[in-house]
Structure formats: structure tokens, C-alpha cells
Amino acid sequence: MPSTPFFSVVIPLYNKELYIEETLKSVLNQTFDNFEIIIINDGSTDKSLENAKHVLKSSSNYLIRSQENKGLSASRNVGISLSKGKIIALLDADDIWHENFLESIYSLYSTFPEASVYGTDYQEKYSDTNILETKKNLDHNLKNNAFLIEDFFLTNKFQSIVCQSSIAFKKEMLSGILFDETIDYAEDVDFYLKCFINKKLAYNYTVLTTILSNIPNQITRQGIKNKTIPNLDMHESNNPNNRSLKEYLDSKRYAYAIEYKLAKDRLNFDHLIKSIDFGNLNLKQKVLLKSPLFFLKFLKSIKKIFLKYNVRITSFSN
């Protein structure tokens, strides 16, 4: 393993035996090869660890640390603590980097010295013939260009412009900014809230990451019930005059409230909506919050049908 790699690729691993090999191959096939791979095996009970070692058997630039199951955030934090690189790149064990992902991140690092975080566009893969991009609050004329995101929260008014497998960040910025291990739903959102209050994002509006959707062991498939979400009220109270942050927080409150309603969790639903400024929601979102449960379930089933035909129905647009 290089003594001072430029990138540290941190991969939390828990029961992804069917996917970890392709994930690791996507790292080993990068055009920029000055990196180390750090795998945190978070108590896997399948052949994930065995399959990972098989792919890496001819490599020397990796470290594997096994631990009892502690969750995604704890695994990321351990991986970061073991890293030697200047830039940390997180990669989930079922996602895929395109071959020039790290090269693109290095270019962003070199071009935008004022930035501390670097990211690219991504796509969601449901099957070989069912691949979609998310609805983003970005001018489509900027597609395939690199630029600085001045206001992360405003830009993420619709769906996120990055996913956790499509961003990287300077290790030096992590003083006080780690993943909250008490949160087990929307961990990434909490990280963004702590990070982008005062850090800038350099962005390549090119799809360079593919995230696999609708596979086992994904948090989003397990649902929000009995999960701990970020403390949105705390972030708002700490930054009372940040208008774009308030809009972003209300968009998240809306999204989580819908999930709580589907989970028949009235207490948490009511807690979230009482903090929403409904002026920050569009008409579709206001209607959905007031809709009966059977109607939400019906819409969710319709949405799944349309996804099979590469059509995304979303309330995150005007």
C-alpha cells in the first residue's frame, strides 16, 4: 500500500456478497490509481468478506478491518480514522464508479482550491434496462461541465445532486464533522447539514457513479419506522437566518413525514409537519401531506410501475 496515497476509498461492507466484487472492480479499474482501499467489514454473515478478498488478492493497496455489526456511520468513521489519503472518497458496497470518477475528483481538487468537498452526478440502476437520473435543481445546459456550487441547500431543493458514493472531501476538514452513529436513517443528510453550512462543493455535472436500487439490506428499503433521523430542528435553530437551509430542511421534513405516514407513525408525522413553513412546499407536496393513507399507497404503487418504464414520478419539482 502506498505510504501517502492521494485518495482513501472507504467502503463499509455488510452482507453484500452479490455486489462487492463489481464494486471493487470499479475501483481497481480507475484511470487515476494513486489510492488505497479501506474496507470495514461490519459483521457480515454471508460471503462478502471472502468475495472481497478474492478480488483484491493481486493487490497490495488495501486494508480490511472486521468488527461486530455497528452500523453504516460507525463503519465510515472507523474507515476514515484508518485512512492515510489527502482526500476521502466514500463508496457503498453495492455501488459502481465509472472508470474516470477519481480522475474527475482530482481535476475538481486542482481546479477549485476554495472547495473542500467534490462531487459528481449519479444515476440509479433498477435493472440493466431501467436506469434513471434524479430530478435536480440545476440548469440542464450545465450538463457535463464542472463548476462551484455556491449554495448547496438551494441547489438540492429537489432531489440531491450527489449521493454518498459520488462525493469526496478533504480529510483535513473533518475536525468535528463525522457521521453521527446514533442516526440510522438519512445519515448522509446529517453529514451534508454539518458540512455545507460553511464548506464549498466543486461539482462535475457528469454521471460518474451508478447506485444500485431495490436490492437487499438497503436502509431505504427497510423503511423509516423505528429509525433515528437527523435532528432537523437543531440545525435550523443553529442557523436561524439561513433561508436556503430552511427550505432544504422543510423539503426533508416533507419527505420524512410522507414516510412516517406510510408507516402509520402519527406521532413523528405530526412532529415534523408542525415545523414546516408550507410556503416552502409546492402544491403537490401540500396535497400529498393531507392525502389519506390509501391514496399515498396507491400513488406509491403507480410510481413503481412507471419506474419500470424509465419514467420517474416525483413531487420534488414545481
Side-chain angles (χ1 to χ4, degrees):
M1 182 181 296
S3 57
T4 54
F6 188 81
F7 286 104
S8 291
V9 181
V10 175
I11 304 176
L13 178 60
Y14 177 70
N15 287 356
K16 294 293 172 66
E17 64 179 359
L18 299 179
Y19 309 98
I20 184 59
E21 292 188 58
E22 289 304 311
T23 296
L24 287 172
K25 287 177 183 177
S26 80
V27 180
L28 296 176
N29 290 335
Q30 290 295 300
T31 55
F32 188 99
D33 60 3
N34 185 6
F35 60 82
E36 64 175 354
I37 299 172
I38 300 175
I39 297 174
I40 306 302
N41 176 40
D42 192 35
S44 294
T45 57
D46 62 3
K47 294 183 179 180
S48 294
L49 182 58
E50 178 183 337
N51 292 350
K53 289 180 176 179
H54 174 74
V55 175
L56 296 171
K57 63 183 179 181
S58 299
S59 303
S60 59
N61 59 336
Y62 73 92
L63 171 68
I64 297 177
R65 172 70 61 87
S66 291
Q67 63 183 27
E68 63 181 23
N69 183 254
K70 296 181 179 179
L72 182 60
S73 291
S75 298
R76 286 172 172 167
N77 288 339
V78 171
I80 290 169
S81 71
L82 295 171
S83 66
K84 297 179 181 178
K86 179 177 293 188
I87 303 295
I88 308 295
L90 302 178
L91 180 60
D92 287 350
D94 48 18
D95 293 339
I96 304 294
W97 280 344
H98 301 199
E99 65 178 7
N100 56 338
F101 174 79
L102 289 181
E103 185 175 349
S104 173
I105 298 296
Y106 180 77
S107 177
L108 291 172
Y109 168 85
S110 302
T111 306
F112 300 99
E114 64 270 50
S116 299
V117 190
Y118 317 95
T120 77
D121 195 5
Y122 63 98
Q123 61 189 8
E124 298 174 348
K125 181 177 180 180
Y126 296 86
S127 69
D128 289 340
T129 58
N130 189 196
I131 301 174
L132 291 169
E133 292 186 42
T134 56
K135 175 69 175 178
K136 301 176 180 71
N137 190 26
L138 286 170
D139 185 345
H140 195 72
N141 291 323
L142 294 172
K143 193 70 175 173
N144 298 318
N145 286 289
F147 46 91
L148 200 66
I149 299 294
E150 295 294 340
D151 189 331
F152 177 86
F153 301 117
L154 178 63
T155 309
N156 281 267
K157 186 177 179 180
F158 297 163
Q159 290 170 285
S160 183
I161 65 171
V162 292
C163 66
Q164 205 59 47
S165 291
S166 75
I167 69 167
F169 41 85
K170 292 178 179 176
K171 185 177 181 179
E172 66 185 31
M173 81 160 206
L174 288 175
S175 177
I177 304 179
L178 289 176
F179 289 90
D180 187 335
E181 297 179 15
T182 67
I183 295 172
D184 55 3
Y185 193 92
E187 302 95 334
D188 302 344
V189 170
D190 185 71
F191 181 81
Y192 299 154
L193 287 167
K194 291 185 287 190
C195 177
F196 290 113
I197 288 296
N198 53 25
K199 306 296 182 185
K200 293 185 181 297
L201 170 69
Y203 187 68
N204 187 336
Y205 196 8
T206 305
V207 171
L208 294 174
T209 300
T210 297
I211 62 174
L212 303 187
S213 300
N214 290 337
I215 66 172
N217 299 325
Q218 285 184 320
I219 296 296
T220 50
R221 293 201 71 193
Q222 297 171 18
I224 200 171
K225 193 177 180 80
N226 299 320
K227 299 289 185 181
T228 301
I229 66 172
N231 188 338
L232 304 181
D233 293 342
M234 177 194 70
H235 289 287
E236 182 172 341
S237 64
N238 288 344
N239 303 276
N241 300 316
N242 192 323
R243 184 61 194 172
S244 62
L245 172 64
K246 170 61 175 171
E247 292 181 8
Y248 178 78
L249 291 171
D250 282 348
S251 74
K252 294 303 175 185
R253 289 182 175 114
Y254 157 76
Y256 303 151
I258 292 294
E259 291 298 316
Y260 279 128
K261 194 166 190 176
L262 287 166
K264 301 180 181 180
D265 186 338
R266 185 74 191 188
L267 182 65
N268 280 309
F269 174 84
D270 289 340
H271 173 75
L272 284 173
I273 64 171
K274 73 179 182 181
S275 298
I276 294 177
D277 177 351
F278 283 85
N280 290 330
L281 303 185
N282 61 40
L283 180 59
K284 288 182 287 186
Q285 292 169 337
K286 294 174 186 176
V287 170
L288 288 174
L289 282 177
K290 295 180 180 296
S291 297
L293 180 59
F294 78 87
F295 183 67
L296 291 179
K297 289 183 176 181
F298 171 73
L299 285 181
K300 189 172 184 179
S301 64
I302 293 297
K303 181 178 180 178
K304 288 181 179 179
I305 293 173
F306 273 86
L307 275 175
K308 293 179 181 179
Y309 296 96
N310 290 338
V311 176
R312 182 188 301 280
I313 298 176
T314 176
S315 60
F316 285 93
S317 60
N318 295 319

